[in-house]
Amino acid sequence: MGIALILGLLLGGAFMLLREYLINNSNADLWTKINQILFQDITTPEGKNSLGIFYIIGQLFVNSLQLVIVPMVFTSIALAMCHITDTKKLGRISYKTIMAFLITSIFALILAGVFALTAHNLGFFNVSINGVSAQAGNTGNNPLLVLVQAVPNNITSVFSENGKILAVVFLAVSTGLCVNKLGDEIKILKKILEEINKIITVFLTFIITKFGPIAIFVLITRTFAIYGIDHLRPALAYVGTTTVALLIFLVFGYALFIFLSSRLNPFIFVRKIAKVALFGFSTSSSASTLPLNTKTTVEELGVDKDIASFTLPLGMTINMNGTAIMQVIAATFIASSAGYEVTPTSLTIIAILALISSIGTPAAPGAGAIILFTVLTGMGYQNDAALLAYSLILAINRPVEMLVTSLNVVGDSAAAIYVAKSENSLDEEIYNSSSLKEEIYNS
């Protein structure tokens, strides 16, 4: 996967430079043909007569992962509830999981506020946004709606789409607890859930190990090839500020959390979770990364399967530290560019709105930038200049969203380790052990 990432970055960068060269030398038609053959989204009107080879391969991989999101989340959480016979333990696990998410989110928001305010005061966000057409964006919804939608009124609608994971979590927990309560009276359903879970595990192992590296190469190459330098240049301050903040929290923030909360060696966590971060970066989807995250957290980091099966899907739904960081800095960038006053008080309000709205952000590519409009609506940042700046964010935010996803999925695993350690359900021998390849090399 690491080799695939490097090759994808190199080839994607080469195609980006080729695009600029052809367009600047009156050969835009040649680039259009290359784009139609390799990169064009064939679902759009522009892609009606295109091949879009890289798009098709990448989408097949993402669709394969998203295919099993709902059944995997439902069966894994339901089975976890069946296995936890101690209701007090379940309550402790839930409490500790949410507290871990909240603690890391607070520190993430503080870091984002410091970076955003510093960049604003230094004048980095006073950029020209000419040439970007205004977009109205989505109408903002009350972020608290996520609580209402967590309890569905139609069970079939929950299983028919991937955007209602919190409702799936509710149904899975309810089903598992009821099966647990009834005990031996429910045998067939429990057996079915176990067998479906085994099928999903085999399917995902094949997709990730055999198809994963190729898909990562394709996804990274296409992402960077379709962006023009003209879009990236005016928003370099936003992209740079957000990237630095995200990298600091990704590398040091979670490592510090692991050390302080669990007294474990944080370097082991960083080394083993790196491929999950890389996978999240490539797919830009927390949902697509969940299978690999679960596999790594259980098999390499030693977290009890029942705890991982509860904590990771819940984290995929409500633990969005990376999204919150991005939204705070993006909202500050938009406010600064549009002439709104930026103060510590306004930043605090932005941070609170970002925390609430990020909880309801779907675990899908590009969702964070779209939900950002909820924060802008809450702050009243809706003049023409703000819409122009928001349009710029939508245009160039995909590379940032990729790093945001890495932060989100690593945070889920860190929380699972903390919960497992506090419940004496962490196999420290597995956590501290080398990987199989390292053991073979050392021997």
Side-chain angles (χ1 to χ4, degrees), residues 59 61-63 65-67 69 162 165 219 276-293 316 320 362-368 398 401-409 412:
Q59 209 55 39
F61 176 71
V62 173
N63 287 349
L65 294 176
Q66 293 181 342
L67 173 67
I69 289 172
N162 291 333
I165 295 298
L219 289 167
V276 176
L278 170 61
F279 200 86
F281 181 82
S282 305
T283 61
S284 192
S285 170
S286 298
S288 300
T289 312
L290 179 61
L292 180 62
N293 200 7
M316 182 190 72
M320 299 287 181
R398 180 60 189 271
E401 288 272 5
M402 295 165 77
L403 189 54
V404 162
T405 305
S406 296
L407 206 70
N408 291 341
V409 296
D412 298 341

Side-chain angles (χ1 to χ4, degrees), residues 148-197:
V148 177
Q149 295 169 351
V151 180
N153 58 11
N154 187 321
I155 192 170
T156 58
S157 66
V158 175
F159 293 102
S160 63
E161 56 180 289
N162 291 333
K164 297 182 177 180
I165 295 298
L166 196 57
V168 175
V169 171
F170 171 80
L171 287 176
V173 170
S174 302
T175 302
L177 289 177
C178 291
V179 172
N180 196 329
K181 177 68 174 178
L182 292 170
D184 293 337
E185 295 181 48
I186 306 294
K187 295 181 179 180
I188 297 177
L189 177 60
K190 188 175 180 180
K191 184 67 175 178
I192 291 174
L193 291 174
E194 290 174 347
E195 292 181 352
I196 292 175
N197 197 256

Side-chain angles (χ1 to χ4, degrees), residues 54-66 207 211 215:
F54 277 49
Y55 171 82
I56 292 175
I57 295 174
Q59 209 55 39
L60 287 174
F61 176 71
V62 173
N63 287 349
S64 297
L65 294 176
Q66 293 181 342
I207 293 294
F211 197 14

Side-chain angles (χ1 to χ4, degrees), residues 8-28:
L9 289 172
L10 291 175
L11 187 59
F15 272 114
M16 181 187 289
L17 295 176
L18 176 63
R19 166 183 172 156
E20 297 303 316
Y21 175 79
L22 293 176
I23 293 176
N24 293 333
N25 288 275
S26 302
N27 287 315

Side-chain angles (χ1 to χ4, degrees), residues 4 13 25 27 53 56 82 88 92 150 153 231 237 252 254 268 299 329 353 362 367 406:
N25 288 275
N27 287 315
I53 297 173
I56 292 175
C82 291
K88 291 183 178 180
R92 289 198 311 270
N153 58 11
H231 270 148
F252 300 106
Y254 289 128
I268 295 176
E299 297 180 5
I329 297 177
L353 290 174
S406 296

Side-chain angles (χ1 to χ4, degrees), residues 169-415:
V169 171
F170 171 80
L171 287 176
V173 170
S174 302
T175 302
L177 289 177
C178 291
V179 172
N180 196 329
K181 177 68 174 178
L182 292 170
D184 293 337
E185 295 181 48
I186 306 294
K187 295 181 179 180
I188 297 177
L189 177 60
K190 188 175 180 180
K191 184 67 175 178
I192 291 174
L193 291 174
E194 290 174 347
E195 292 181 352
I196 292 175
N197 197 256
K198 289 179 181 178
I199 293 172
I200 291 170
T201 301
V202 172
F203 175 79
L204 289 174
T205 300
F206 175 81
I207 293 294
I208 291 171
T209 57
K210 303 298 182 182
F211 197 14
I214 297 172
I216 286 175
F217 168 74
V218 168
L219 289 167
I220 293 292
T221 301
R222 180 178 180 271
T223 294
F224 284 87
I226 62 177
Y227 282 100
I229 295 176
D230 287 340
H231 270 148
L232 297 177
R233 189 181 294 119
L236 186 61
Y238 159 73
V239 173
T241 302
T242 309
T243 299
V244 172
L246 291 170
L247 284 174
I248 288 176
F249 202 83
L250 176 64
V251 177
F252 300 106
Y254 289 128
L256 186 62
F257 173 75
I258 289 292
F259 176 73
L260 294 178
S261 64
S262 307
R263 290 295 186 266
L264 296 169
N265 187 338
F267 299 107
I268 295 176
F269 171 74
V270 171
R271 174 170 56 83
K272 290 187 175 182
I273 205 66
K275 61 177 171 292
V276 176
L278 170 61
F279 200 86
F281 181 82
S282 305
T283 61
S284 192
S285 170
S286 298
S288 300
T289 312
L290 179 61
L292 180 62
N293 200 7
T294 303
K295 184 179 179 67
T296 303
T297 302
V298 173
E299 297 180 5
E300 296 186 36
L301 293 171
V303 175
D304 181 77
K305 185 177 180 181
D306 290 341
I307 290 179
S309 296
F310 175 78
T311 302
L312 295 180
L314 185 63
M316 182 190 72
T317 309
I318 68 173
N319 185 36
M320 299 287 181
N321 295 330
T323 304
I325 290 176
M326 181 274 293
Q327 289 180 344
V328 168
I329 297 177
T332 306
F333 170 78
I334 292 170
S336 183
S337 300
Y340 292 100
E341 184 181 8
V342 177
T343 63
T345 301
S346 63
L347 264 178
T348 302
I349 298 174
I350 289 174
I352 294 172
L353 290 174
L355 178 62
I356 297 173
S357 62
S358 65
I359 292 174
T361 302
I370 297 173
I371 300 298
L372 171 63
F373 200 77
T374 301
V375 178
L376 302 182
T377 302
M379 294 300 298
Y381 299 158
Q382 293 181 292
N383 63 16
D384 291 342
L387 292 178
L388 282 170
Y390 175 64
S391 299
L392 184 61
I393 295 293
L394 291 179
I396 55 86
N397 208 53
R398 180 60 189 271
V400 174
E401 288 272 5
M402 295 165 77
L403 189 54
V404 162
T405 305
S406 296
L407 206 70
N408 291 341
V409 296
V410 171
D412 298 341
S413 181

